[in-house]
């Protein structure tokens, strides 16, 4: 399936707004790939499909992951919404014919990040946050500039704001997000 066919198919699966968001992440990831010398076709596909399983109902998210033997953490059982990232990677493979592991891991880690991310993973994580259709989050102007100047600084900035936002809201922070935050703040201090 080529990328245009993927788009057609995705359009059927997502509400209009989420589809627009996906196109925004596609293009934003593409521009960042130019900037950082990453394969831009991979960035475009990962950006396009990163949320492709977002609208699978939550109970099905759990059962579909279980059926495929994917590990589900305690935090994910409590917040099945988090599983959309893993499940979108599964769907990208099964329903859109994506076999490239770089693309699939960029989709898998787009919500939580992980320590020692690849450049493509960072790009999709950041593009998801800064794409033009996003409602303006605090410090968005600065974060958008950082995305094109200093990838790790940008990543850390988003992780910092997310962890603090989630804590303030009293929402659970996925342990992997915390680990990722600690990993990159430590790296920065060195
Ligand atoms: Fe997502
Ligand atoms: Fe997204």
């Amino acid at each position: 399936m080529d990328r245009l066919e993927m788009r057609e198919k995705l359009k059927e699966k997502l509400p209009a707004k989420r589809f627009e968001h996906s196109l925004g992440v596609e293009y934003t990831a593409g521009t960042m790939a130019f900037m950082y010398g990453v394969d831009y076709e991979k960035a475009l596909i990962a950006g396009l499909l990163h949320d492709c399983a977002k609208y699978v109902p939550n109970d099905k998210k759990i059962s579909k992951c279980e059926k495929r033997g994917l590990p589900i953490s305690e935090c994910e059982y409590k917040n099945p919404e988090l599983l959309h990232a893993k499940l979108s990677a599964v769907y990208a493979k099964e329903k859109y014919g994506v076999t490239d592991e770089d693309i699939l891991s960029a989709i898998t880690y787009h919500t939580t990040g992980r320590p020692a991310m690849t450049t493509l993973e960072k790009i999709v994580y950041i593009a998801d946050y800064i794409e033009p259709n996003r409602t303006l989050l605090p410090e968005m102007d600065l974060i958008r500039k950082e995305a094109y100047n200093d990838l790790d600084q940008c990543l850390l900035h988003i992780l910092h704001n997310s962890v603090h936002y989630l804590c303030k809201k009293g929402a659970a922070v996925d342990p992997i997000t915390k680990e990722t935050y600690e990993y990159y703040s430590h790296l920065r201090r060195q």
Side-chain angles (χ1 to χ4, degrees):
M1 201 183 293
D2 66 27
R3 192 158 40 81
L4 291 183
E5 290 168 319
M6 289 176 187
R7 262 197 215 166
E8 298 283 293
K9 183 167 177 170
L10 187 68
K11 198 175 180 184
E12 308 288 301
K13 303 287 176 195
L14 298 181
K17 256 196 143 172
R18 182 64 49 177
F19 182 65
E20 282 304 308
H21 163 68
S22 302
L23 295 182
V25 178
E26 179 186 5
Y27 285 125
T28 304
T31 60
M32 292 177 69
F34 287 153
M35 194 73 208
Y36 296 106
V38 165
D39 184 315
Y40 69 86
E41 189 62 33
K42 287 189 188 188
L44 292 171
I45 292 173
L48 179 66
L49 297 179
H50 79 285
D51 274 340
C52 70
K54 182 110 178 163
Y55 291 85
V56 172
N58 276 345
D59 53 332
K60 281 213 164 148
K61 282 193 182 88
I62 293 177
S63 62
K64 283 179 188 289
C65 285
E66 280 174 340
K67 202 180 124 204
R68 288 165 179 86
L70 292 171
I72 304 176
S73 68
E74 202 186 311
C75 184
E76 288 168 332
Y77 272 115
K78 277 191 213 144
N79 312 278
E81 174 51 27
L82 287 170
L83 290 170
H84 85 274
K86 270 182 212 177
L87 198 60
S88 291
V90 169
Y91 275 31
K93 192 172 186 175
E94 292 178 3
K95 301 183 190 287
Y96 295 83
V98 176
T99 53
D100 185 282
E101 289 300 329
D102 298 340
I103 298 176
L104 297 175
S105 79
I107 297 176
T108 300
Y109 296 105
H110 86 262
T111 312
T112 55
R114 66 164 163 173
M117 292 164 86
T118 65
T119 306
L120 184 63
E121 287 167 3
K122 291 176 192 172
I123 285 176
V124 174
Y125 180 90
I126 293 170
D128 187 31
Y129 195 89
I130 66 167
E131 66 91 9
N133 306 297
R134 271 276 189 216
T135 41
L136 281 182
L137 296 160
E139 299 166 30
M140 188 64 115
D141 291 348
L142 179 57
I143 291 172
R144 280 181 171 147
K145 278 186 192 151
E146 285 170 350
Y148 294 91
N149 283 314
D150 185 339
L151 206 55
D152 281 357
Q153 171 62 36
C154 180
L155 185 66
L156 189 58
H157 199 159
I158 296 174
L159 284 162
H160 175 92
N161 287 14
S162 306
V163 168
H164 284 256
Y165 169 76
L166 289 170
C167 281
K168 233 167 111 187
K169 237 179 48 171
V173 181
D174 191 288
I176 303 176
T177 305
K178 261 192 202 151
E179 249 177 74
T180 310
Y181 176 55
E182 275 154 26
Y183 177 91
Y184 282 99
S185 4
H186 184 76
L187 207 68
R188 202 73 197 175
R189 271 185 259 117
Q190 278 181 341

